[in-house]
Amino acid sequence: MVEDQDAGMFNVKQTIGTVLCCRCGIKMQPNAANMCVSCLRSEVDITEGLQKHVVISHCPNCDRYLQPPKNWLKAQWESKELLTFCVKRMKNLNKVTLINAEFVWTEPHSKRIKVRLTIQKECLEKAYVVEYVQQDHLCESCSRVAANPDQWVASVQLRQHVSHRRTFFYLEQLILKHDAASKAIKIKQMHQGIDFFFGNRSHAVKFMEFLRSVVPTKSRDDKQLVSHDVKSSNYNYKYTFSVQISPVCREDLICLPRRLSSSLGNIGPLVVCTKVTNSIALLDPFTLRHCHLDSDQYWRHGFKSLMISRQLVEYIVLNIEITSPPMEAKIGGARYLLADAEVARLSDLGRNNNIFSVKTHLGHLLNTGDHALGYDLCAANSNNSELEKYKSSLEVPEVVLIKKSYEEAWQRKRGKPRKYKLKHLEMEVEDRARVDEEKERSDYEQFQRDIEENPELRFNLSLYRNKEYQEESEAGSMADDAAGCSSVGGAAC
Amino acid sequence: MATRLQFENNCEVGVFSKLTNAYCLVAIGGSESFYSIYEYELADVIPVVKTSIAGTRIIGRACAGNKNGLLVPHTTTDQELQHLRNSLPDSVVVQRIDERLNALGNHIACNDHVALAHTDLDRKTEELIADVLGVEVFRTTIAGNILVGTYCALSNRGGMVHPHTSIEELDELSTLLQVPLVAGTVNRGSDLIAAGMTVNDWTAFCGSDTTATELSVIENVFKLRKAQPSAIVDEMRKSLIDSYV
C-alpha cells in the first residue's frame, strides 16, 4: 500500500516474500509459473514446435544449395554462408531468440549437417541439435549442361564481307581490353567472320551493344523455338543475332554515290577512309574536306570501297611542293597539308620514265626521296557501278597517295621478335582446310605494323611486355639500320 | 484434511463449489462423483446441497457466504432462491442482493468474523454484507488485484493469498483479519487461490493438480492436520436436527 502524504513523501517499502516452489518445495521468489528454475527447465520444453530435422537440396555438380523456390546459393562445407543458410531454413525461429549457432562435426560423406542452436525464451536457455539431411539434386543449369553440353541460347554471328581479317584482329584486341566476351560459352572462327555463343539472351544483347559502339554495324535478330511447355506456357527459344560490319576499312579508296556526295556538301566523289569507329571518317585527299558517316547513314547507301589496301602500290616521291597558299586541315588530331607531288612507281624506276603529277594530302609527311603507298588508278580496272555513273563528269586522278611507306625499316626488322606481345581470344576454328595460313599470317603481320605505325590505333588496345625480347638484338639491329639508311639514300639518288 | 478432486476433469474446484462451516453448495455435474466426494467428507456434519445459480454451474464464484448467511446475485432465479432457502439450515439467511458486480464470490472473501470486499462495491451492498453475514467489512486490494474474492481463500483459522503479495501487505492484511496468512499457490503454481480450492475450518478441497508441496502449505496455514469437525459443529447440530423433522 502506498500512502501519499504531501507529494508522496512516505512510500512503504515493498518486499516480495518467498513462496515455495510448487513442485520441489524450495523457497523461491514468486514468478509467472511459480516454479523454481530447475523445475521449470525440466517441465517446459522451449524447443517445442521447432524443427529438429530439416531436408536441404544440394547440387553435386556446382556445390550449391537450393533456397526455394529457385535460388541456388553457393556455400562451402562448414562455412559461414552455409550456417546462415541452415539457420534461415529453420521455421518458427522468430518466436524465440537465437543466441548461438555452431556446426557439430559430421562425416562429409554422411550427407548430414548438424548444427547446435542455443535459444532463449523467457529467460530460459537451451541448446539443442538440429540435423539437416542433404539430398542431392542437380540444379537446372547443371542438368541442362549435362543433357547437352553444347547448349547455347543466344548467338551473335559477326561478319564482314572483305577478303582480309584486319578488322577482326583489331576487334579481338578491343574485346579483350573491355572483357566484353567474358560471358561467351564458345567462340568460333568462321569464314569472313566470328560466331559468339552465349547462355543468355541478355548477354548476347549486351555484347551487340558493345560492338555497335566500336564498329559501324547492321544487325537483325531471329529466334527459333526449341521447346514449349503447354501447361505453363513457357517457350524456350534459341536467339540468333546476325551482325554485319561495314566493308569499308581504313585506308580504303571509296567512290561515293552521287546522291550521298551531294548530300554531304559535294565532297569529291573519291574519298579516302581515315578512321573507322562507330562512325566512318572520310577525307577528300584533293580538297582536304572531311566528313563523318555514322552507321545508319552508311547502311542506307551501302556503298563498297573502290580499292582496298591490298591493292596499294609503292611509289617514290621525286618532287614535292606545298601548294601556295598552303592549305592545311586538322582532322581528328592529325594534320594534313595539301601538296603537289611528282611520283613514279617503284617498279617503273630505272625502266621507263612514267612520272605522275598528283595532288596529295600528305604534304606534312613526305619529302623528296620518300617512299609512299598509293592506289594506281590509271592502271586499275575497277568494276564499280558508282564510278561508271560518274564516267564523263569526273576526272579520275591517276594516283592517290595514302600513306608513307616504311618498307625498308620493316625489311630489316623482319623475323626479329617485337618488344610487345598481344593477347589472343580462345577461338575454335571451324574448317581448317578453308583457312589460308599464309594469308592469315601476312594479315596479322600487317595488323601489327599498323598498330606500331599509328599511335591512335594503339590507344584502345592493351600491349604486354614481351619477356623473350632481348636488349642485345636491339643494339645489333640499330647498327643495321644505320647502314641500311645510307644505302637506301644512295639508291634513291 | 485436504482432499484433491476434479469437477468434470477441471481442477478449479473453488468455481464449482462453496464450502462454509454450516453448509456446502455443489454444482450439478454430469457425473455424481464430485457430489459424492463432498458427501463422503461432510454428510454427517453439514448439509451438502446441489444447486445452480442463475442457471449456471459457477456457483462458487457467484455467491458469497459464511455460517451466518448466504448472498446470491440478482440474476438468481426465484426457484433457485426457494430451493436454497429450503435446503439450508434456518440459521442461514439467504439474501438476494442487487449489485452491479454480480460475481459475488470474486468480489467478497469472508470467514465468520471478517470480510474483504472489492473496492468498487456499493455502499448498500457493504451494509448488507455486514448485516447478513455478520462480519466486519474491509475494502482492500491484494497484491494490486481488486478481485479479492479470487485471490484470497479465508477460513477462521488462517488464509492464503496471491503469491506475489509483499511481506508488508501480508502483515497488514493479517492484522486486519486477525488470522495467519501465507502467500502461496494452488493447482501447480496457479495464483487463483480461491478458484482452485475451497476451505472451511476443518477441511479443504483442492484441484487434483495441486502438488504435495502446495497441499502441505495449505494444511499448515489452515491448521487442518488435527482439526476434527465434531468440536466445531456441535453448536450447529440442533438447528440441523430441526430441519430433518
Side-chain angles (χ1 to χ4, degrees):
Chain A
M1 311 248 172
V2 173
E3 285 192 45
D4 265 3
Q5 280 185 349
D6 295 338
M9 288 279 306
F10 182 64
N11 283 343
V12 178
K13 185 161 164 279
Q14 305 277 22
T15 331
I16 304 292
T18 53
V19 288
L20 300 184
C21 163
C22 65
R23 268 183 70 169
C24 54
I26 64 171
K27 282 211 165 111
M28 50 163 256
Q29 293 267 317
N31 65 20
N34 291 317
M35 281 198 261
C36 63
V37 182
S38 30
C39 290
L40 207 60
R41 203 177 283 141
S42 54
E43 261 293 292
V44 175
D45 185 13
I46 54 173
T47 65
E48 196 183 320
L50 295 175
Q51 291 167 302
K52 306 271 187 330
H53 198 84
V54 186
V55 175
I56 54 177
S57 287
H58 168 249
C59 175
N61 244 15
C62 49
D63 200 18
R64 295 194 293 176
Y65 294 86
L66 177 65
Q67 209 159 24
K70 272 205 183 152
N71 193 21
W72 286 86
L73 188 79
K74 188 146 184 90
Q76 293 281 347
W77 179 257
E78 287 203 358
S79 65
K80 219 172 19 159
E81 294 93 25
L82 189 58
L83 192 61
T84 334
F85 170 75
C86 288
V87 170
K88 269 201 202 133
R89 294 288 289 132
M90 285 272 298
K91 297 179 209 161
N92 291 337
L93 216 49
N94 49 350
K95 300 212 176 96
V96 297
T97 345
L98 181 67
I99 296 180
N100 189 27
E102 59 185 5
F103 280 113
V104 177
W105 185 82
T106 47
E107 188 78 41
H109 298 288
S110 66
K111 302 237 178 277
R112 302 279 187 276
I113 303 173
K114 284 206 176 124
V115 177
R116 178 174 289 121
L117 296 170
T118 315
I119 54 174
Q120 191 187 49
K121 187 173 176 181
E122 293 162 358
C123 78
L124 273 184
E125 255 185 52
K126 189 158 174 195
Y128 79 112
V129 176
V130 184
E131 186 180 306
Y132 294 87
V133 178
Q134 188 179 301
Q135 270 180 359
D136 275 342
H137 186 90
L138 268 186
C139 64
E140 286 136 31
S141 38
C142 289
S143 51
R144 215 176 283 141
V145 167
N148 184 358
D150 269 336
Q151 192 72 286
W152 52 268
V153 175
S155 83
V156 176
Q157 292 170 336
L158 192 62
R159 299 283 180 272
Q160 190 186 32
H161 298 300
V162 282
S163 53
H164 60 85
R165 290 191 75 94
R166 268 169 44 212
T167 323
F168 292 111
F169 294 136
Y170 179 61
L171 261 182
E172 182 187 13
Q173 297 305 317
L174 270 183
I175 289 170
L176 280 169
K177 171 123 190 187
H178 290 96
D179 221 6
S182 55
K183 298 243 171 72
I185 302 175
K186 199 167 60 158
I187 304 174
K188 216 157 137 181
Q189 189 177 325
M190 308 287 279
H191 171 61
Q192 285 191 342
I194 308 179
D195 278 355
F196 296 84
F197 297 96
F198 298 90
N200 201 324
R201 185 177 183 271
S202 50
H203 297 157
V205 170
K206 190 172 174 205
F207 183 69
M208 269 210 346
E209 292 298 321
F210 166 74
L211 286 177
R212 208 169 281 155
S213 69
V214 292
V215 280
T217 57
K218 180 166 79 161
S219 67
R220 57 170 283 173
D221 54 270
D222 288 299
K223 59 188 185 202
Q224 178 190 29
L225 186 66
V226 172
S227 69
H228 164 51
D229 183 358
V230 183
K231 297 232 176 89
S232 64
S233 261
N234 271 350
Y235 295 83
N236 283 341
Y237 290 102
K238 270 194 183 183
Y239 301 92
T240 310
F241 299 90
S242 178
V243 179
Q244 215 189 55
I245 306 182
S246 71
V248 171
C249 299
R250 276 182 73 244
E251 299 165 3
D252 281 358
L253 186 66
I254 301 164
C255 181
L256 291 174
R258 179 168 285 209
R259 206 190 279 153
L260 182 59
S261 163
S262 46
S263 75
L264 287 171
N266 270 330
I267 189 168
L270 282 176
V271 288
V272 172
C273 174
T274 47
K275 195 166 175 187
V276 175
T277 55
N278 55 344
S279 65
I280 303 172
L282 301 170
L283 170 70
D284 184 344
F286 309 118
T287 57
L288 284 189
R289 285 175 62 195
H290 62 280
C291 70
H292 281 265
L293 273 183
D294 66 351
S295 40
D296 296 328
Q297 272 180 306
Y298 169 76
W299 287 108
R300 223 173 291 149
H301 296 91
F303 51 82
K304 284 213 164 100
S305 319
L306 183 59
M307 301 191 90
I308 60 173
S309 50
R310 222 170 263 217
Q311 293 164 297
L312 282 170
V313 174
E314 201 161 344
Y315 289 88
I316 183 163
V317 176
L318 300 171
N319 203 3
I320 183 156
E321 262 171 37
I322 313 252
T323 54
S324 55
M327 262 191 80
E328 199 185 303
K330 235 188 155 124
I331 303 158
R335 259 183 80 232
Y336 296 103
L337 209 55
L338 201 58
D340 289 314
E342 284 181 9
V343 295
R345 283 193 216 119
L346 212 58
S347 51
D348 281 348
L349 215 57
R351 252 185 253 160
N352 52 32
N353 246 358
N354 283 354
I355 297 181
F356 306 100
S357 302
V358 290
K359 257 205 165 91
T360 170
H361 61 291
L362 299 171
H364 61 296
L365 262 185
L366 294 174
N367 296 308
T368 319
D370 273 345
H371 290 220
L373 289 167
Y375 292 111
D376 193 355
L377 284 165
C378 63
N381 189 2
S382 46
N383 194 2
N384 193 324
S385 49
E386 311 292 342
L387 201 56
E388 312 272 302
K389 285 184 198 148
Y390 279 107
K391 219 165 181 109
S392 48
S393 56
L394 178 64
E395 205 187 290
V396 178
E398 291 152 332
V399 177
V400 179
L401 294 176
I402 297 293
K403 60 182 183 179
K404 185 168 173 180
S405 163
Y406 298 95
E407 194 57 45
E408 295 103 27
W410 292 124
Q411 291 288 351
R412 254 173 278 121
K413 278 209 178 142
R414 183 184 277 224
K416 300 218 168 80
R418 294 194 147 86
K419 241 199 241 177
Y420 64 91
K421 248 190 331 186
L422 290 170
K423 276 197 180 160
H424 290 279
L425 266 183
E426 292 254 338
M427 277 197 239
E428 258 180 48
V429 182
E430 183 216 1
D431 207 348
R432 277 262 156 216
R434 253 173 144 200
V435 169
D436 193 347
E437 301 271 355
E438 185 59 52
K439 199 155 89 125
E440 274 228 20
R441 222 175 296 137
S442 67
D443 266 346
Y444 198 70
E445 177 72 29
Q446 187 63 42
F447 168 65
Q448 283 191 310
R449 285 187 199 171
D450 269 343
I451 57 175
E452 282 171 32
E453 285 174 19
N454 296 299
E456 62 192 43
L457 214 56
R458 270 206 295 271
F459 183 64
N460 274 331
L461 315 180
S462 304
L463 302 176
Y464 300 90
R465 198 190 190 95
N466 186 0
K467 292 197 183 92
E468 291 143 29
Y469 181 78
Q470 284 150 12
E471 303 295 330
E472 298 144 20
S473 57
E474 163 92 296
S477 65
M478 288 289 279
D480 285 347
D481 281 355
C485 265
S486 45
S487 65
V488 166
C493 299
Chain B
M1 275 313 293
T3 320
R4 283 190 273 204
L5 74 163
Q6 276 185 322
F7 177 79
E8 287 182 358
N9 222 17
N10 188 315
C11 296
E12 308 289 329
V13 291
V15 173
F16 300 103
S17 64
K18 187 106 204 139
L19 181 62
T20 67
N21 285 331
Y23 55 88
C24 177
L25 302 174
V26 287
I28 302 167
S31 76
E32 288 290 310
S33 53
F34 190 64
Y35 176 72
S36 61
I37 295 176
Y38 277 93
E39 246 200 321
Y40 176 76
E41 289 288 319
L42 304 166
D44 308 335
V45 190
I46 53 172
V48 182
V49 180
K50 276 209 266 190
T51 181
S52 65
I53 290 188
T56 67
R57 299 192 291 184
I58 49 170
I59 58 173
R61 302 292 93 217
C63 63
N66 61 10
K67 74 173 193 322
N68 299 322
L70 176 67
L71 295 169
V72 291
H74 64 89
T75 47
T76 319
T77 61
D78 291 335
Q79 284 116 318
E80 289 161 355
L81 194 57
Q82 197 57 42
H83 172 68
L84 280 169
R85 286 221 175 101
N86 288 343
S87 323
L88 293 179
D90 288 337
S91 61
V92 179
V93 180
V94 182
Q95 178 76 19
R96 183 162 60 181
I97 61 176
D98 213 350
E99 162 64 60
R100 182 181 66 95
L101 306 167
N102 54 355
L104 299 173
N106 282 337
H107 303 302
I108 305 166
C110 61
N111 62 10
D112 293 336
H113 309 290
V114 74
L116 297 176
H118 188 284
T119 47
D120 294 341
L121 276 184
D122 275 352
R123 281 233 120 246
K124 256 186 6 179
T125 312
E126 198 184 325
E127 284 165 13
L128 265 172
I129 297 170
D131 267 342
V132 171
L133 300 182
V135 291
E136 209 180 326
V137 182
F138 297 105
R139 287 176 194 252
T140 178
T141 63
I142 296 181
N145 298 101
I146 46 174
L147 291 177
V148 290
T150 322
Y151 292 103
C152 169
L154 267 186
S155 87
N156 291 328
R157 306 293 207 71
M160 184 186 268
V161 290
H162 189 285
H164 287 192
T165 317
S166 64
I167 295 181
E168 291 81 14
E169 208 176 331
L170 270 179
D171 285 340
E172 196 181 331
L173 284 171
S174 188
T175 342
L176 272 180
L177 301 171
Q178 292 295 309
V179 289
L181 288 179
V182 80
T185 65
V186 76
N187 277 342
R188 218 170 230 284
S190 163
D191 38 9
L192 305 164
I193 312 297
M197 60 178 278
T198 178
V199 64
N200 71 3
D201 286 348
W202 66 89
T203 184
F205 294 89
C206 312
S208 54
D209 274 352
T210 313
T211 60
T213 320
E214 292 168 335
L215 214 56
S216 71
V217 170
I218 289 168
E219 285 182 354
N220 274 333
V221 76
F222 290 109
K223 300 192 184 50
L224 300 173
R225 292 262 161 72
K226 292 180 213 150
Q228 290 301 316
S230 50
I232 302 158
V233 175
D234 266 339
E235 316 145 27
M236 295 189 227
R237 205 166 274 272
K238 287 177 203 156
S239 51
L240 286 171
I241 291 170
D242 277 350
S243 71
Y244 277 93
V245 169

